[in-house]
Amino acid sequence: MKLLRYLCIPFLFLLTGCAGCGDDDALAFARTPYTGNQLRIDGYYYDEYSHVQNYLEVYFFYTNGIILSAGAFEADKLPEQEKYWQTSQWQETVKKFKSHWGVFKIEGDIFQFDRWH
């Protein structure tokens, strides 16, 4: 009987421990259309990934105020990634994962974005 109790307790934690895991936190601000001229939005922006050397983190910005994260990958793989972003496979994948999406805004010389992680 003790064995059953020891097996059931971790199972109960698994069932109840993630209550609310599917809930979304609110983003810091609402989506607003981008009408400025501070950003070019006919391509993408990238930066060195802060956690791993020689990795890039890529973002796309849209006129409707949405930001799309293309993730992080090795810097020398950028040409391959550009081809992959044009595939329907990638387009279907990013639609499924909220963590790729967020909102951005520019007010004066302050640029802000927020997305789900």
Side-chain angles (χ1 to χ4, degrees), residues 44-60 68-82 85 100 115:
Y44 58 85
Y45 288 85
Y46 65 89
D47 194 10
E48 288 186 13
Y49 190 57
S50 59
H51 304 294
V52 182
Q53 196 172 20
N54 296 322
Y55 266 64
L56 299 177
E57 191 167 15
V58 174
Y59 293 98
F60 294 90
L68 169 61
S69 167
F73 49 86
E74 293 177 57
D76 62 349
K77 304 285 187 203
L78 185 58
E80 295 168 28
Q81 284 298 125
E82 288 177 339
W85 296 329
H100 284 281
R115 65 185 186 94

Side-chain angles (χ1 to χ4, degrees), residues 2-52:
K2 282 187 178 183
L3 179 61
L4 182 60
R5 184 177 334 148
Y6 290 120
L7 290 175
C8 289
I9 289 173
F11 183 70
L12 288 174
F13 280 116
L14 287 174
L15 287 177
T16 60
C18 199
C21 286
D23 296 344
D24 292 330
D25 292 331
L27 293 174
F29 48 89
R31 179 179 63 85
T32 55
Y34 174 67
T35 58
N37 60 2
Q38 299 94 328
L39 289 177
R40 290 187 57 183
I41 52 174
D42 57 349
Y44 58 85
Y45 288 85
Y46 65 89
D47 194 10
E48 288 186 13
Y49 190 57
S50 59
H51 304 294
V52 182

Side-chain angles (χ1 to χ4, degrees), residues 46-110:
Y46 65 89
D47 194 10
E48 288 186 13
Y49 190 57
S50 59
H51 304 294
V52 182
Q53 196 172 20
N54 296 322
Y55 266 64
L56 299 177
E57 191 167 15
V58 174
Y59 293 98
F60 294 90
F61 298 92
Y62 298 96
T63 57
N64 62 359
I66 298 291
I67 182 173
L68 169 61
S69 167
F73 49 86
E74 293 177 57
D76 62 349
K77 304 285 187 203
L78 185 58
E80 295 168 28
Q81 284 298 125
E82 288 177 339
K83 291 177 185 171
Y84 179 58
W85 296 329
Q86 297 175 29
T87 67
S88 60
Q89 179 186 2
W90 185 73
Q91 293 168 13
E92 289 303 314
T93 299
V94 297
K95 287 179 187 178
K96 294 178 186 175
F97 296 100
K98 206 169 198 175
S99 61
H100 284 281
W101 300 95
V103 293
F104 76 95
K105 68 179 179 178
I106 299 176
E107 293 176 340
D109 61 349
I110 298 174

